Amino acid sequence: VDLLEAQGRYMRAAGYRAPSGAWLAATDLGDPRGASDDAPALLFVTQGQLRAALRDAASGALCEGQRITGVEWRDTRWQLSIEGAGDAEVDVLVGADGARSHLRTVRNGGVEQPLRHRGYRVYRGVAPAPPGLTASFQTWGHRDNQRFAAVPLLDNSWVWFATIAAGAAPPPRPQAFLLDAFSDWHAEVGALIGGTAEAAIVVDEAEALDAAADVAARAAKPCAAPLTLVGDAAHAADPVLAQGFTVALEDALTLGLQLQQAAPGDATAALRAYEAARLPRVRRLAAVSDLVQVLSQPTLPYVGAARDALLRATPQAVKEPVFHAVMRASLSPMLRGAPEA
Protein backbone atom coordinates (compact mmCIF):
# COMPACT_ATOMS: atom_id res chain seq x y z
CA VAL A 1 0.00 0.00 0.00
CA ASP A 2 2.83 2.40 0.85
CA LEU A 3 4.37 1.81 -2.59
CA LEU A 4 1.07 2.42 -4.37
CA GLU A 5 0.41 5.56 -2.32
CA ALA A 6 3.82 6.86 -3.39
CA GLN A 7 2.99 6.23 -7.05
CA GLY A 8 -0.71 7.06 -7.09
CA ARG A 9 -3.01 9.95 -6.33
CA TYR A 10 -6.07 10.04 -4.11
CA MET A 11 -9.25 11.51 -5.50
CA ARG A 12 -10.05 14.74 -3.68
CA ALA A 13 -12.28 17.36 -5.36
CA ALA A 14 -14.85 15.47 -7.41
CA GLY A 15 -18.41 15.58 -8.60
CA TYR A 16 -21.10 14.84 -11.14
CA ARG A 17 -21.76 17.07 -14.15
CA ALA A 18 -24.35 17.54 -16.87
CA PRO A 19 -23.27 17.37 -20.54
CA SER A 20 -23.29 21.18 -20.55
CA GLY A 21 -20.57 21.14 -17.90
CA ALA A 22 -22.80 22.35 -15.06
CA TRP A 23 -21.99 20.70 -11.72
CA LEU A 24 -24.89 18.64 -10.39
CA ALA A 25 -23.14 17.56 -7.18
CA ALA A 26 -19.64 18.11 -5.81
CA THR A 27 -17.51 17.23 -2.80
CA ASP A 28 -13.94 17.22 -1.54
CA LEU A 29 -12.86 13.90 -0.05
CA GLY A 30 -9.65 15.33 1.42
CA ASP A 31 -6.50 13.29 2.00
CA PRO A 32 -7.39 9.99 3.74
CA ARG A 33 -3.86 9.36 5.03
CA GLY A 34 -4.09 9.83 8.78
CA ALA A 35 -7.75 10.84 8.59
CA SER A 36 -10.01 9.59 11.35
CA ASP A 37 -13.38 9.96 9.61
CA ASP A 38 -15.07 7.38 7.41
CA ALA A 39 -14.94 9.35 4.16
CA PRO A 40 -14.37 7.05 1.17
CA ALA A 41 -10.76 6.81 -0.07
CA LEU A 42 -10.09 6.25 -3.76
CA LEU A 43 -6.46 5.85 -4.84
CA PHE A 44 -5.76 5.93 -8.58
CA VAL A 45 -2.70 4.28 -10.14
CA THR A 46 -2.04 2.96 -13.63
CA GLN A 47 -2.42 -0.73 -14.42
CA GLY A 48 1.32 -0.89 -15.09
CA GLN A 49 2.14 0.51 -11.66
CA LEU A 50 -0.19 -1.95 -9.95
CA ARG A 51 1.21 -4.94 -11.85
CA ALA A 52 4.77 -3.88 -11.01
CA ALA A 53 3.89 -3.52 -7.32
CA LEU A 54 2.34 -6.98 -7.25
CA ARG A 55 5.39 -8.51 -8.93
CA ASP A 56 7.65 -6.86 -6.35
CA ALA A 57 5.46 -8.11 -3.51
CA ALA A 58 5.64 -11.67 -4.88
CA SER A 59 9.43 -11.62 -4.37
CA GLY A 60 10.30 -13.87 -7.30
CA ALA A 61 7.61 -16.47 -6.58
CA LEU A 62 5.92 -15.96 -9.97
CA CYS A 63 6.41 -18.25 -12.96
CA GLU A 64 5.35 -16.01 -15.83
CA GLY A 65 4.89 -17.00 -19.45
CA GLN A 66 3.90 -20.62 -18.77
CA ARG A 67 0.62 -21.75 -20.31
CA ILE A 68 -1.50 -24.37 -18.56
CA THR A 69 -3.18 -26.55 -21.18
CA GLY A 70 -4.98 -29.07 -18.97
CA VAL A 71 -6.40 -29.42 -15.46
CA GLU A 72 -7.57 -32.67 -13.90
CA TRP A 73 -8.51 -33.72 -10.35
CA ARG A 74 -6.96 -37.09 -9.54
CA ASP A 75 -7.99 -38.60 -6.21
CA THR A 76 -6.26 -36.19 -3.82
CA ARG A 77 -4.37 -33.69 -5.98
CA TRP A 78 -4.72 -31.53 -9.07
CA GLN A 79 -2.63 -32.44 -12.10
CA LEU A 80 -1.67 -29.58 -14.38
CA SER A 81 -0.38 -29.94 -17.93
CA ILE A 82 2.06 -27.10 -18.64
CA GLU A 83 2.99 -26.30 -22.20
CA GLY A 84 6.65 -27.09 -22.77
CA ALA A 85 7.24 -28.09 -19.15
CA GLY A 86 5.37 -31.39 -18.67
CA ASP A 87 3.01 -32.03 -15.75
CA ALA A 88 2.85 -30.73 -12.20
CA GLU A 89 0.78 -31.65 -9.16
CA VAL A 90 -0.68 -29.17 -6.67
CA ASP A 91 -2.83 -29.49 -3.55
CA VAL A 92 -4.94 -26.35 -3.99
CA LEU A 93 -5.96 -24.65 -7.24
CA VAL A 94 -6.95 -20.98 -7.35
CA GLY A 95 -8.33 -19.86 -10.70
CA ALA A 96 -7.49 -16.33 -11.78
CA ASP A 97 -7.93 -16.94 -15.50
CA GLY A 98 -10.08 -13.94 -16.30
CA ALA A 99 -13.65 -13.16 -17.21
CA ARG A 100 -13.95 -16.09 -19.64
CA SER A 101 -12.53 -18.49 -17.11
CA HIS A 102 -12.25 -22.18 -17.97
CA LEU A 103 -11.76 -22.97 -14.28
CA ARG A 104 -15.10 -21.33 -13.50
CA THR A 105 -16.75 -24.07 -15.54
CA VAL A 106 -14.71 -26.70 -13.67
CA ARG A 107 -15.70 -25.20 -10.30
CA ASN A 108 -19.31 -25.14 -11.45
CA GLY A 109 -19.41 -28.86 -12.13
CA GLY A 110 -19.02 -28.52 -15.88
CA VAL A 111 -21.80 -25.95 -16.31
CA GLU A 112 -20.63 -22.87 -18.20
CA GLN A 113 -21.58 -19.45 -16.84
CA PRO A 114 -21.39 -17.09 -19.83
CA LEU A 115 -20.98 -13.35 -19.51
CA ARG A 116 -23.98 -11.13 -20.12
CA HIS A 117 -23.60 -8.04 -22.28
CA ARG A 118 -24.65 -4.85 -20.51
CA GLY A 119 -25.62 -2.98 -23.67
CA TYR A 120 -22.70 -0.60 -24.00
CA ARG A 121 -18.97 -0.34 -24.73
CA VAL A 122 -16.26 1.25 -22.62
CA TYR A 123 -13.48 3.40 -24.10
CA ARG A 124 -10.44 4.28 -21.99
CA GLY A 125 -7.39 6.48 -22.38
CA VAL A 126 -4.82 8.74 -20.71
CA ALA A 127 -4.29 12.35 -21.80
CA PRO A 128 -2.53 15.55 -20.69
CA ALA A 129 -4.49 17.77 -18.33
CA PRO A 130 -6.83 20.19 -20.14
CA PRO A 131 -6.33 23.84 -19.14
CA GLY A 132 -8.12 24.78 -15.94
CA LEU A 133 -9.31 21.28 -15.03
CA THR A 134 -8.66 20.55 -11.34
CA ALA A 135 -11.53 18.37 -10.09
CA SER A 136 -12.30 14.77 -10.98
CA PHE A 137 -15.68 14.42 -12.62
CA GLN A 138 -18.29 12.11 -14.01
CA THR A 139 -20.55 13.58 -16.64
CA TRP A 140 -23.90 11.83 -16.93
CA GLY A 141 -25.52 11.71 -20.34
CA HIS A 142 -29.13 11.89 -21.48
CA ARG A 143 -29.23 9.11 -24.08
CA ASP A 144 -27.51 6.09 -25.62
CA ASN A 145 -25.82 4.92 -22.39
CA GLN A 146 -23.42 7.89 -22.62
CA ARG A 147 -21.18 8.73 -19.69
CA PHE A 148 -17.72 10.25 -19.35
CA ALA A 149 -15.40 10.32 -16.32
CA ALA A 150 -11.86 11.54 -15.68
CA VAL A 151 -9.45 11.60 -12.71
CA PRO A 152 -5.88 12.93 -12.38
CA LEU A 153 -2.81 10.74 -11.87
CA LEU A 154 0.30 11.68 -9.92
CA ASP A 155 2.12 12.99 -13.02
CA ASN A 156 -0.88 15.28 -13.71
CA SER A 157 -2.02 13.29 -16.72
CA TRP A 158 -5.68 12.34 -16.64
CA VAL A 159 -7.12 8.86 -17.05
CA TRP A 160 -10.59 8.87 -18.59
CA PHE A 161 -13.29 6.53 -19.71
CA ALA A 162 -16.38 6.92 -21.86
CA THR A 163 -19.41 4.69 -22.30
CA ILE A 164 -21.84 4.57 -25.19
CA ALA A 165 -24.43 2.11 -26.47
CA ALA A 166 -22.85 -0.79 -28.35
CA GLY A 167 -23.41 -0.92 -32.08
CA ALA A 168 -22.96 -3.95 -34.32
CA ALA A 169 -19.17 -3.72 -34.19
CA PRO A 170 -16.56 -1.50 -32.51
CA PRO A 171 -15.75 1.60 -34.60
CA PRO A 172 -12.53 1.32 -36.65
CA ARG A 173 -11.49 4.83 -35.56
CA PRO A 174 -12.51 5.16 -31.91
CA GLN A 175 -11.16 8.68 -31.39
CA ALA A 176 -13.11 10.13 -34.32
CA PHE A 177 -16.19 8.18 -33.24
CA LEU A 178 -16.02 9.53 -29.68
CA LEU A 179 -15.30 13.11 -30.73
CA ASP A 180 -18.44 13.01 -32.86
CA ALA A 181 -20.59 11.24 -30.23
CA PHE A 182 -19.59 13.69 -27.47
CA SER A 183 -19.27 16.80 -29.67
CA ASP A 184 -21.97 18.72 -27.79
CA TRP A 185 -20.57 17.96 -24.33
CA HIS A 186 -18.47 20.37 -22.25
CA ALA A 187 -14.99 21.24 -23.57
CA GLU A 188 -12.92 19.04 -21.21
CA VAL A 189 -14.47 15.89 -22.69
CA GLY A 190 -13.32 16.68 -26.23
CA ALA A 191 -9.92 17.87 -24.97
CA LEU A 192 -9.24 14.58 -23.16
CA ILE A 193 -10.40 12.43 -26.09
CA GLY A 194 -8.48 14.56 -28.58
CA GLY A 195 -5.37 14.53 -26.38
CA THR A 196 -5.14 10.74 -26.49
CA ALA A 197 -3.41 8.98 -29.37
CA GLU A 198 -6.03 6.97 -31.23
CA ALA A 199 -3.92 3.81 -31.08
CA ALA A 200 -3.77 4.16 -27.27
CA ILE A 201 -7.57 4.18 -26.79
CA VAL A 202 -8.67 0.86 -25.28
CA VAL A 203 -12.10 -0.46 -26.27
CA ASP A 204 -13.90 -3.08 -24.16
CA GLU A 205 -17.32 -4.66 -24.28
CA ALA A 206 -19.29 -4.14 -21.05
CA GLU A 207 -19.87 -7.72 -19.93
CA ALA A 208 -20.51 -9.21 -16.51
CA LEU A 209 -21.71 -12.21 -14.59
CA ASP A 210 -25.03 -12.00 -12.81
CA ALA A 211 -24.20 -11.78 -9.10
CA ALA A 212 -27.54 -13.18 -7.96
CA ALA A 213 -27.99 -15.95 -10.53
CA ASP A 214 -24.41 -16.97 -11.28
CA VAL A 215 -22.13 -16.15 -8.37
CA ALA A 216 -24.62 -17.09 -5.66
CA ALA A 217 -25.53 -20.37 -7.38
CA ARG A 218 -21.88 -21.33 -7.71
CA ALA A 219 -21.15 -20.52 -4.06
CA ALA A 220 -24.02 -22.82 -3.03
CA LYS A 221 -22.88 -25.65 -5.31
CA PRO A 222 -20.96 -28.44 -3.54
CA CYS A 223 -17.38 -28.95 -4.66
CA ALA A 224 -15.28 -31.54 -2.85
CA ALA A 225 -12.05 -30.64 -4.65
CA PRO A 226 -9.86 -27.77 -3.36
CA LEU A 227 -10.61 -25.29 -6.15
CA THR A 228 -11.80 -21.72 -5.97
CA LEU A 229 -11.73 -18.54 -8.06
CA VAL A 230 -10.59 -14.94 -7.62
CA GLY A 231 -11.04 -11.74 -9.59
CA ASP A 232 -12.96 -11.72 -12.86
CA ALA A 233 -12.92 -15.50 -12.98
CA ALA A 234 -15.06 -15.50 -9.84
CA HIS A 235 -17.35 -12.54 -10.40
CA ALA A 236 -16.68 -10.45 -13.50
CA ALA A 237 -18.55 -7.25 -12.71
CA ASP A 238 -19.94 -4.45 -14.82
CA PRO A 239 -17.00 -2.12 -15.53
CA VAL A 240 -19.14 0.91 -14.66
CA LEU A 241 -17.43 1.22 -11.22
CA ALA A 242 -13.90 0.40 -12.47
CA GLN A 243 -13.14 -1.94 -9.55
CA GLY A 244 -11.88 -5.12 -11.20
CA PHE A 245 -8.34 -4.93 -9.80
CA THR A 246 -9.60 -3.75 -6.42
CA VAL A 247 -12.03 -6.62 -5.96
CA ALA A 248 -9.38 -9.15 -7.05
CA LEU A 249 -7.01 -7.84 -4.37
CA GLU A 250 -9.78 -8.10 -1.78
CA ASP A 251 -10.37 -11.69 -2.92
CA ALA A 252 -6.70 -12.53 -2.44
CA LEU A 253 -6.61 -11.01 1.04
CA THR A 254 -9.78 -12.79 2.17
CA LEU A 255 -8.64 -16.11 0.71
CA GLY A 256 -5.24 -15.81 2.38
CA LEU A 257 -6.83 -15.12 5.76
CA GLN A 258 -9.19 -18.09 5.43
CA LEU A 259 -6.32 -20.43 4.49
CA GLN A 260 -4.24 -19.17 7.43
CA GLN A 261 -7.09 -20.04 9.79
CA ALA A 262 -7.80 -23.45 8.21
CA ALA A 263 -7.18 -26.66 10.11
CA PRO A 264 -4.29 -28.74 8.70
CA GLY A 265 -5.42 -30.75 5.70
CA ASP A 266 -8.76 -28.93 5.47
CA ALA A 267 -8.10 -26.42 2.70
CA THR A 268 -11.36 -27.22 0.90
CA ALA A 269 -13.46 -25.99 3.84
CA ALA A 270 -11.43 -22.77 3.87
CA LEU A 271 -12.10 -22.24 0.17
CA ARG A 272 -15.85 -22.68 0.64
CA ALA A 273 -15.75 -20.28 3.62
CA TYR A 274 -13.93 -17.74 1.45
CA GLU A 275 -16.61 -17.99 -1.26
CA ALA A 276 -19.39 -17.48 1.29
CA ALA A 277 -17.56 -14.51 2.83
CA ARG A 278 -17.20 -12.75 -0.53
CA LEU A 279 -20.80 -13.17 -1.65
CA PRO A 280 -22.28 -10.16 0.24
CA ARG A 281 -19.59 -7.86 -1.21
CA VAL A 282 -20.22 -9.12 -4.74
CA ARG A 283 -23.98 -8.67 -4.37
CA ARG A 284 -23.53 -5.16 -2.99
CA LEU A 285 -21.20 -4.21 -5.85
CA ALA A 286 -23.69 -5.53 -8.40
CA ALA A 287 -26.53 -3.55 -6.83
CA VAL A 288 -24.51 -0.32 -6.84
CA SER A 289 -23.43 -0.99 -10.45
CA ASP A 290 -27.05 -1.36 -11.52
CA LEU A 291 -28.05 1.82 -9.67
CA VAL A 292 -25.19 3.85 -11.16
CA GLN A 293 -25.94 2.61 -14.66
CA VAL A 294 -29.61 3.55 -14.36
CA LEU A 295 -28.76 7.03 -13.04
CA SER A 296 -25.74 7.88 -15.16
CA GLN A 297 -26.35 6.11 -18.47
CA PRO A 298 -30.03 6.52 -19.41
CA THR A 299 -31.25 5.39 -22.79
CA LEU A 300 -34.15 7.90 -22.90
CA PRO A 301 -33.51 11.69 -22.88
CA TYR A 302 -36.34 12.60 -20.48
CA VAL A 303 -34.86 10.33 -17.77
CA GLY A 304 -31.58 12.24 -17.80
CA ALA A 305 -33.33 15.61 -17.86
CA ALA A 306 -35.48 14.68 -14.86
CA ARG A 307 -32.41 13.40 -12.99
CA ASP A 308 -30.52 16.64 -13.60
CA ALA A 309 -33.45 18.77 -12.45
CA LEU A 310 -33.80 16.74 -9.26
CA LEU A 311 -30.10 17.02 -8.44
CA ARG A 312 -30.07 20.77 -9.03
CA ALA A 313 -33.04 21.17 -6.68
CA THR A 314 -31.52 19.03 -3.92
CA PRO A 315 -29.57 20.96 -1.22
CA GLN A 316 -25.83 20.31 -0.99
CA ALA A 317 -26.30 19.27 2.64
CA VAL A 318 -28.34 16.33 1.37
CA LYS A 319 -26.34 15.51 -1.76
CA GLU A 320 -22.90 15.28 -0.13
CA PRO A 321 -23.68 12.53 2.43
CA VAL A 322 -25.56 10.58 -0.27
CA PHE A 323 -22.54 11.00 -2.59
CA HIS A 324 -20.26 9.58 0.13
CA ALA A 325 -22.68 6.78 1.01
CA VAL A 326 -22.89 5.53 -2.59
CA MET A 327 -19.09 5.52 -2.90
CA ARG A 328 -18.67 3.71 0.42
CA ALA A 329 -21.24 1.12 -0.64
CA SER A 330 -19.22 0.41 -3.78
CA LEU A 331 -15.97 -0.06 -1.85
CA SER A 332 -14.71 -2.86 0.36
CA PRO A 333 -16.04 -3.19 3.92
CA MET A 334 -12.68 -4.70 5.03
CA LEU A 335 -11.40 -3.04 8.16
CA ARG A 336 -8.05 -3.54 9.87
CA GLY A 337 -7.16 -6.48 7.66
CA ALA A 338 -10.09 -8.69 8.62
CA PRO A 339 -12.81 -9.73 6.15
CA GLU A 340 -16.25 -8.50 7.06
CA ALA A 341 -19.31 -9.99 5.39
Side-chain angles (χ1 to χ4, degrees), residues 28-93:
D28 192 327
L29 301 177
D31 191 331
R33 286 169 287 198
S36 58
D37 61 22
D38 63 347
L42 292 87
L43 177 66
F44 286 87
V45 297
T46 66
Q47 289 187 5
Q49 288 170 331
L50 181 54
R51 288 193 179 102
L54 292 173
R55 285 191 181 98
D56 290 343
S59 302
L62 295 177
C63 296
E64 298 187 75
Q66 293 186 322
R67 183 169 177 263
I68 297 175
T69 59
V71 174
E72 184 179 358
W73 175 248
R74 292 189 176 177
D75 298 326
T76 60
R77 305 192 81 192
W78 289 101
Q79 180 165 313
L80 311 180
S81 299
I82 304 172
E83 189 174 67
D87 294 339
E89 290 188 346
V90 296
D91 296 309
V92 175
L93 190 57

Side-chain angles (χ1 to χ4, degrees), residues 55-175:
R55 285 191 181 98
D56 290 343
S59 302
L62 295 177
C63 296
E64 298 187 75
Q66 293 186 322
R67 183 169 177 263
I68 297 175
T69 59
V71 174
E72 184 179 358
W73 175 248
R74 292 189 176 177
D75 298 326
T76 60
R77 305 192 81 192
W78 289 101
Q79 180 165 313
L80 311 180
S81 299
I82 304 172
E83 189 174 67
D87 294 339
E89 290 188 346
V90 296
D91 296 309
V92 175
L93 190 57
V94 178
D97 52 337
R100 288 174 170 77
S101 169
H102 168 71
L103 291 177
R104 181 167 65 237
T105 302
V106 177
R107 166 64 184 90
N108 204 40
V111 179
E112 184 180 359
Q113 292 181 321
L115 300 175
R116 292 165 169 79
H117 202 285
R118 301 282 289 179
Y120 67 95
R121 289 194 181 96
V122 183
Y123 300 78
R124 295 180 285 122
V126 179
L133 182 60
T134 58
S136 303
F137 67 90
Q138 280 194 38
T139 300
W140 290 355
H142 289 173
R143 64 183 185 276
D144 297 332
N145 272 312
Q146 284 183 281
R147 183 164 68 112
F148 193 95
V151 297
L153 299 173
L154 189 62
D155 63 1
N156 207 36
S157 61
W158 284 66
V159 60
W160 59 266
F161 77 82
T163 69
I164 192 166
R173 298 181 56 210
Q175 185 185 58

Side-chain angles (χ1 to χ4, degrees), residues 184-209:
D184 57 348
W185 287 38
H186 56 93
E188 294 94 338
V189 173
L192 289 164
I193 296 170
T196 307
E198 186 158 62
I201 296 177
V202 178
V203 185
D204 291 316
E205 301 294 330
E207 298 176 312
L209 291 171

Side-chain angles (χ1 to χ4, degrees), residues 205-228:
E205 301 294 330
E207 298 176 312
L209 291 171
D210 186 302
D214 293 336
V215 181
R218 186 184 337 116
K221 193 177 187 67
C223 181
L227 163 65
T228 195

Side-chain angles (χ1 to χ4, degrees), residues 91-94 226-228 230 251-274 339:
D91 296 309
V92 175
L93 190 57
V94 178
L227 163 65
T228 195
V230 297
D251 289 344
L253 175 59
T254 307
L255 178 57
L257 291 169
Q258 292 289 353
L259 288 171
Q260 284 179 356
Q261 298 165 9
D266 199 13
T268 301
L271 302 187
R272 301 293 85 80
Y274 149 75

